[in-house]
Amino acid sequence: HHPHSVSPPGGVPDMEDALRLHRAVLSKDAQATVQDLAPLPAATAELSPPLVLLSCGHSVMRRLGEHVEGVLGATCHGLAEPGAWGLRLSAGEKNSGHQLLPLVFGPPPGDGGAPGSLDDPEATTSTGISCLVADWRLWEAARPAHGLFVVSHVSLTFEGAMQSMAAAAARAAAADTPAGRGSCFRLSCFPGSLAPRALEALPECICLHPKEFTHALFLVALPHGRYGVGAGPGVWLANLGQGRRGDEAQRRVSRAYYKMREAAETWPRILRMPTKAGNSPTGDRHDVEMAFDLGASPGGWSEWLVEQGGVGRCVAIDPAAMDDRVIHNPRVVHLRQSVEAAVASGELARAASTSEGSTAQVVVCDMNSDPRAAAEAVQHVLPWVAEDAVLVLTIKMVKRGGLNHVQLETEATNALQDNWKVQGVRQLFNNSRHERTLVATRKKLSAQVDPGHHNVAVLESMPPLQREEDAAGVGAPFLAAAAEPGMTTARRGTKREGTASDGGDRGAERSVRSRAGGGVAAASM
């Protein structure tokens, strides 16, 4: 077979030419595909740049697509079908319920937003995949992506696909370094049921091993009876495995740790990742003097705040016990009572007064309760919260009193907007399907009142609440500049008993099952 690729006469192919063939081989219209593969009716088409496929659940397909487009700069939406994110797979093509999200890495758009030229599509794809593999949000903790597949050739027949795979393995082995080193491959198939058939068809001279490999071979059953094959460096698959093992080895207090970490990277203009946990070289200063963690048990968010968030003192409030690894940290103070009780007893005021700054620059709340109760708990601590402070709040979509999820989210944001400017509400990868994460900044007060008086402050006029929909990049500053320490006015909430909470989402989240995204096969040892 002589593969057919797109290349204008006498010129370098541009991104639009490449995407035309990508859409053709994934298209339902067989006639259009044959025309693009002409003049070889049973040909194998070469895709340049290669097609990258992520296996994932249907519920995260759109979020995953928006993430790789907004953060990694890939082309994804509408690649398979107009207006669609994923490929339409039959029941036989699905792997344990997982589906495929196609994406293509290309050059930045040229003048006028037109696709740029593809001077080195292989290098562009390799760089994109390296960034994809390094993105912890996809492969650790919640693991929205289950597998990675790279397709450089598409065949109309299984036999043609096996010939292309053998040729790809031969090219990879010939380019292997150092000289004389034998190449060994890991075979990754989607669905996994393709593996036995592929093992039987591959030449015996190709060395295969599930763990000790230098390269990866990919075989994917595409829609409409087509097959995609590809090859790449083994580090692509090896790094995915290391990410998962590293996650387990860290033994974080709870998965809530990763929600806080992801929030910091999702809203980088408000939150950032300080270097060395925010400590100065002398160790006598922190980026954030004090933070409040409401509903802190077992301590996942407090752990992130003091280790990575640059917080010098974290006041954790929860009637439940904290994990020993967190409570033994000298920068964590645990008030083992409800938020309302901590305020009424004066314990919160005493804990806040021992900090260099008497007000908190960060408030986080992961209470396992009705979102309206969580918003009320935030209102209770306002006298000890600085102007321009940052709030990170998990909205638990529990159904109470007949209210649906949208009503609960609206009521929670409305309860906050007198004192907080909501910057965004989003379902993070590390949120459960019944959670959303809200980030807000404290509104400036036109007057400051002693927190002992529960007057309602006069607020400056603020723009209307807007819901953030765009994906944010990574790497901008973390906290808006904190105001000078000083006591600010609070709006007193209605009296009700505080609600016990659980930052580890006990009873509110389902356990996350870890599954491999594609079948992995190897020759018997």
Side-chain angles (χ1 to χ4, degrees):
H1 291 279
H2 300 283
H4 172 71
S5 59
V6 227
S7 181
V12 178
D14 63 24
M15 192 62 177
E16 191 54 44
D17 288 325
L19 292 179
R20 182 176 63 87
L21 184 60
H22 284 76
R23 294 189 180 102
V25 298
L26 298 175
S27 170
K28 183 178 180 180
D29 188 349
Q31 183 61 34
T33 303
V34 170
Q35 290 174 356
D36 272 298
L37 296 181
L40 306 174
T44 295
E46 179 181 359
L47 301 182
S48 181
L51 177 69
V52 181
L53 298 160
L54 294 177
S55 64
C56 60
H58 177 73
S59 62
V60 299
M61 181 79 69
R62 181 187 181 93
R63 278 185 288 155
L64 198 56
E66 291 173 343
H67 177 77
V68 297
E69 284 195 334
V71 176
L72 302 178
T75 299
C76 183
H77 187 232
L79 188 60
E81 295 183 18
W85 288 96
L87 300 181
R88 287 186 179 273
L89 302 176
S90 65
E93 293 166 342
K94 294 179 183 179
N95 189 73
S96 302
H98 299 154
Q99 299 186 353
L100 292 175
L101 176 71
L103 55 114
V104 176
F105 290 104
D111 295 337
S117 63
L118 291 167
D119 296 319
D120 194 347
E122 296 294 333
T124 300
T125 300
S126 181
T127 301
I129 293 175
S130 296
C131 294
L132 194 69
V133 168
D135 193 335
W136 73 272
R137 287 167 286 191
L138 306 185
W139 312 107
E140 294 185 27
R143 302 183 182 109
H146 299 279
L148 169 73
F149 306 88
V150 181
V151 172
S152 60
H153 293 79
V154 175
S155 177
L156 302 182
T157 65
F158 182 81
E159 291 72 18
M162 290 297 96
Q163 292 183 29
S164 293
M165 181 177 287
R171 288 193 298 271
D176 203 6
T177 54
R181 178 186 175 187
S183 298
C184 194
F185 295 84
R186 174 177 172 176
L187 177 61
S188 188
C189 299
F190 187 97
S193 56
L194 280 177
R197 188 180 175 191
L199 283 172
E200 186 177 348
L202 282 173
E204 293 184 0
C205 61
I206 297 179
C207 174
L208 297 171
H209 197 282
K211 294 182 179 180
E212 299 175 4
F213 53 90
T214 59
H215 294 81
L217 287 177
F218 304 99
L219 174 62
V220 180
L222 297 173
H224 320 302
R226 294 151 205 167
Y227 296 90
V229 299
V235 68
W236 290 348
L237 296 183
N239 282 353
L240 299 186
Q242 289 171 1
R244 292 190 175 112
R245 289 193 295 273
D247 174 43
E248 294 171 359
Q250 288 295 325
R251 302 273 183 191
R252 294 297 180 188
V253 167
S254 72
R255 280 190 54 238
Y257 176 96
Y258 295 99
K259 281 192 280 188
M260 190 66 237
R261 178 182 175 184
E262 187 178 355
E265 296 184 13
T266 302
W267 286 280
R269 291 187 179 87
I270 306 167
L271 304 168
R272 70 174 170 84
M273 298 288 286
T275 58
K276 273 221 137 148
N279 297 335
S280 66
T282 60
D284 57 0
R285 185 190 65 80
H286 300 278
D287 291 345
V288 179
E289 291 297 338
M290 184 170 64
F292 293 155
D293 185 0
L294 313 183
S297 176
W301 284 25
S302 295
E303 181 185 21
W304 187 91
L305 287 170
V306 295
E307 289 188 4
Q308 302 295 333
V311 172
R313 181 180 180 84
C314 179
V315 179
I317 309 173
D318 197 307
M322 298 278 284
D323 188 279
D324 288 343
R325 289 168 291 179
V326 178
I327 203 64
H328 290 158
N329 190 312
R331 283 159 44 204
V332 176
V333 177
H334 181 204
L335 305 183
R336 194 164 182 176
Q337 51 192 314
S338 69
V339 174
E340 189 174 55
V343 173
S345 66
E347 289 294 326
L348 178 60
R350 283 189 287 272
S353 64
T354 58
S355 179
E356 183 175 330
S358 57
T359 55
Q361 293 85 45
V362 178
V363 180
V364 299
C365 180
D366 194 26
M367 294 177 64
N368 189 16
S369 65
D370 186 298
R372 294 166 293 184
E376 183 179 343
V378 172
Q379 301 297 82
H380 285 311
V381 303
L382 276 176
W384 298 274
V385 176
E387 289 188 25
D388 297 328
V390 174
L391 169 67
V392 182
L393 171 73
T394 301
I395 300 176
K396 311 278 185 175
M397 297 300 183
V398 294
K399 291 187 177 181
R400 301 282 175 87
L403 294 180
N404 61 33
H405 294 176
V406 175
Q407 288 176 294
L408 284 172
E409 181 180 331
T410 301
E411 288 199 7
T413 53
N414 288 343
L416 294 169
Q417 65 178 339
D418 282 347
N419 299 288
W420 299 89
K421 181 180 179 182
V422 178
Q423 303 291 341
V425 180
R426 184 175 299 173
Q427 186 177 17
L428 304 178
F429 291 126
N430 286 283
N431 285 136
S432 74
R433 64 175 181 170
H434 298 301
E435 291 182 340
R436 303 293 183 272
T437 295
L438 176 149
V439 168
T441 52
R442 179 83 187 272
K443 290 182 178 179
K444 292 184 178 180
L445 302 174
S446 60
Q448 293 187 349
V449 181
D450 188 291
H453 303 284
H454 300 293
N455 307 54
V456 177
V458 179
L459 299 175
E460 297 176 350
S461 59
M462 302 298 294
L465 175 67
Q466 294 182 348
R467 182 186 179 90
E468 180 181 276
E469 295 292 345
D470 298 330
V474 176
F478 169 32
L479 279 173
E484 290 296 323
M487 307 306 282
T488 58
T489 301
R491 179 182 180 187
R492 186 171 179 82
T494 57
K495 292 183 179 180
R496 66 183 283 179
E497 190 63 32
T499 306
S501 58
D502 178 7
D505 305 324
R506 295 194 300 268
E509 291 191 10
R510 297 182 179 180
S511 61
V512 178
R513 294 181 297 173
S514 175
R515 292 185 177 181
V520 176
S524 58
M525 296 300 296

